[in-house]
Amino acid sequence: MSISKPSGSKIKRKIADEHRIFQVKWELEYFCCEIKDKIICLICNNTINVPKLYNIKRHYEQHKSKYNNYEGLMREEKLKELKLGVKKQQSMFSKVLQESEAAVHASYVLSELIAKHSKPFTDGDFIKECLMKAGEIVCPGNVKAFQSISLSRNTVAERVTDLAANLSDQIKAKSSSFESFSIACDESTDISGKAQLAVFLRSCDKNFNIFEELLELIPMPGTTTGEDIFTCVFGLLQKYNLPLAKLNSVATDGAPSMTGKNKGFVALLRKKLSEIHGSNIHHMHCIIHQEVLCTKVINMENVLSYIKKVINFIRSRGLNQRQFTAFLSELDSEYSGLSYYTEVRWLSCSKILKQFWDLKEEICQFLKTKNQDIFSFA
């Protein structure tokens, strides 16, 4: 026994019955086509919202008087012409979009180079001017492409900020795969008198891939005690999801705020590790600072004092400097002059010694022209 449906119920029609599936024959009949699941009128480029035959017919009524005259082959040719026009329009829009994306990409790449080479952000305008001049000579037809690259000071600053944020996100994403990591910390004062704490990260994953990166440069406007440094570093590790349990070692210089027995940064870090995980870390003194101490112990003053006197004789007098530079130029020397030795920049010591040794014959000849005995500086 079958159950009859109530007389008041409505039978739902299928989508196919409502003609909501676009049919190819409508292209020729009503000059429309389907593009990305949307019905587009090829005549006015408007979108027909509901893909029903009734809606398409009603929309075509607006253009019926003009386009009903096309029949047979003429109608087919007109359809091809309208389709081609839509394709050209779409390709033009996509080309503009590609050029815009390329200009933004170039802006990011150039901003990254400016930041890497520690150039002022205002150099972006100069770089753009150079690109424009080069474009006018090399490819005059594509000068507008260079003109669309934004390299103003504010734009470069925003690009660098975006790149820094992206690097931070990458580190956060990779931090979960680190099996072990170590950090190096150094607190120093910049040229503006502000204390800056640099924290470097070196880590290793389960596949023994080594990852090294400057984690962050933290400004310290107040005091720079061991507790202040510990607070900054501990907060930084939490920010990048780096658990203390995986911290293996830390490298610092020999400053009291770093190596203090009770309130130094390393002591506080070890205390925190002991409280949380009951573990300890290795502490290493920065190798560069150890080399500084070695240079103090070696005491090369007997050599450097002689070299400094000779260099000062040549460099401190403008005439001697110009004549010595011209003398080296005549001899086709690889050097254009002598560099000053500065004790603060102790890494330049080896460079000065090598430069002096390579130019020892030229220096002797030049001093003879000045009636100076090479041994008189000893």
Side-chain angles (χ1 to χ4, degrees):
M1 183 177 178
S2 62
I3 300 174
S4 60
K5 293 182 180 180
S7 58
S9 63
K10 295 182 179 180
I11 300 174
K12 292 184 179 180
R13 292 184 296 177
K14 296 181 180 179
I15 294 177
D17 296 335
E18 294 185 1
H19 304 288
R20 292 194 181 186
I21 298 175
F22 184 79
Q23 298 182 24
V24 180
K25 64 180 182 179
W26 294 347
E27 291 185 355
L28 192 60
E29 291 179 9
Y30 307 110
F31 288 122
C32 61
C33 67
E34 187 178 25
I35 300 175
K36 295 181 180 179
D37 298 328
K38 291 183 179 180
I39 310 300
I40 306 295
C41 175
L42 297 174
I43 301 171
C44 60
N45 293 332
N46 287 333
T47 303
I48 302 172
N49 295 324
V50 182
K52 293 175 66 175
L53 179 58
Y54 171 76
N55 292 342
I56 295 173
K57 278 184 178 181
R58 188 177 64 178
H59 183 83
Y60 180 69
E61 289 293 329
Q62 304 172 21
H63 315 286
K64 185 177 180 180
S65 59
K66 183 177 179 180
Y67 286 88
N68 259 3
N69 298 328
Y70 295 98
E71 295 179 354
L73 291 175
M74 289 180 62
R75 195 173 183 86
E76 291 179 4
E77 290 295 328
K78 190 63 179 177
L79 177 63
K80 290 179 182 179
E81 181 185 339
L82 292 172
K83 277 188 172 182
L84 185 61
V86 172
K87 287 181 180 179
K88 284 183 178 179
Q89 190 177 22
Q90 288 180 338
S91 63
M92 182 183 68
F93 287 140
S94 62
K95 184 179 179 181
V96 171
L97 182 62
Q98 289 174 0
E99 290 178 353
S100 177
E101 290 177 351
V104 173
H105 185 204
S107 178
Y108 272 102
V109 171
L110 293 174
S111 299
E112 183 184 8
L113 289 174
I114 290 172
K116 277 186 175 180
H117 291 82
S118 302
K119 299 296 181 182
F121 292 165
T122 51
D123 281 5
D125 293 324
F126 172 69
I127 293 172
K128 183 175 180 179
E129 186 178 350
C130 294
L131 290 173
M132 293 289 293
K133 292 296 182 183
E136 290 174 0
I137 298 171
V138 179
C139 47
N142 294 327
V143 177
K144 288 185 178 180
F146 295 103
Q147 193 173 6
S148 60
I149 301 173
S150 180
L151 289 173
S152 64
R153 177 174 58 87
N154 292 334
T155 301
V156 173
E158 290 175 2
R159 299 284 189 254
V160 173
T161 303
D162 291 342
L163 291 170
N166 181 263
L167 282 174
S168 297
D169 293 339
Q170 289 184 46
I171 295 173
K172 290 177 183 177
K174 287 184 178 181
S175 61
S176 59
S177 63
F178 295 159
E179 293 293 323
S180 180
F181 71 92
S182 59
I183 57 173
C185 304
D186 183 44
E187 180 271 319
S188 185
T189 305
D190 60 17
I191 57 175
S192 63
K194 295 180 181 178
Q196 304 283 352
L197 177 64
V199 182
F200 295 86
L201 171 72
R202 181 182 174 91
S203 60
C204 177
D205 60 15
K206 61 182 179 181
N207 296 321
F208 297 100
N209 295 316
I210 305 300
F211 178 81
E212 291 183 356
E213 189 61 58
L214 170 63
L215 201 57
E216 202 159 309
L217 190 65
I218 309 171
M220 303 184 70
T223 57
T224 57
T225 62
E227 293 179 355
D228 297 326
I229 296 173
F230 171 76
T231 302
C232 291
V233 173
F234 186 71
L236 190 64
L237 296 179
Q238 289 183 321
K239 175 183 175 181
Y240 286 94
N241 302 321
L242 296 168
L244 282 177
K246 294 183 179 181
L247 179 60
N248 183 267
S249 64
V250 59
T252 66
D253 58 10
S257 59
M258 291 288 186
T259 59
K261 183 178 180 181
N262 297 319
K263 294 186 178 181
F265 161 66
V266 177
L268 294 173
L269 187 61
R270 282 175 168 168
K271 183 179 178 181
K272 189 71 174 179
L273 272 169
S274 179
E275 291 175 356
I276 299 176
H277 305 288
S279 58
N280 200 356
I281 56 170
H282 300 286
H283 174 233
M284 292 177 287
H285 197 287
C286 182
I287 295 175
I288 294 179
H289 288 279
Q290 289 178 354
E291 291 178 356
V292 178
L293 297 176
C294 289
T295 59
K296 299 292 184 182
V297 174
I298 292 173
N299 190 13
M300 299 174 61
E301 188 60 29
N302 58 335
V303 177
L304 291 175
S305 61
Y306 170 75
I307 292 175
K308 284 189 286 186
K309 288 178 182 178
V310 175
I311 293 175
N312 290 338
F313 174 78
I314 298 174
R315 289 292 305 267
S316 61
R317 296 170 175 82
L319 178 61
N320 290 350
Q321 167 69 6
R322 292 192 296 272
Q323 289 177 342
F324 185 68
T325 302
F327 178 65
L328 293 178
S329 179
E330 290 176 2
L331 297 176
D332 294 329
S333 174
E334 62 176 314
Y335 298 102
S336 60
L338 290 170
S339 302
Y340 273 122
Y341 169 71
T342 308
E343 189 174 0
V344 176
R345 300 181 64 181
W346 56 270
L347 285 172
S348 65
C349 181
S350 61
K351 180 181 177 182
I352 299 299
L353 292 173
K354 183 179 185 304
Q355 192 180 67
F356 192 89
W357 178 257
D358 293 341
L359 293 173
K360 59 183 183 298
E361 294 181 2
E362 289 85 346
I363 292 172
C364 291
Q365 294 177 26
F366 180 76
L367 291 177
K368 285 180 181 179
T369 62
K370 292 292 181 179
N371 298 321
Q372 294 288 332
D373 186 5
I374 188 69
F375 298 105
S376 64
F377 295 93

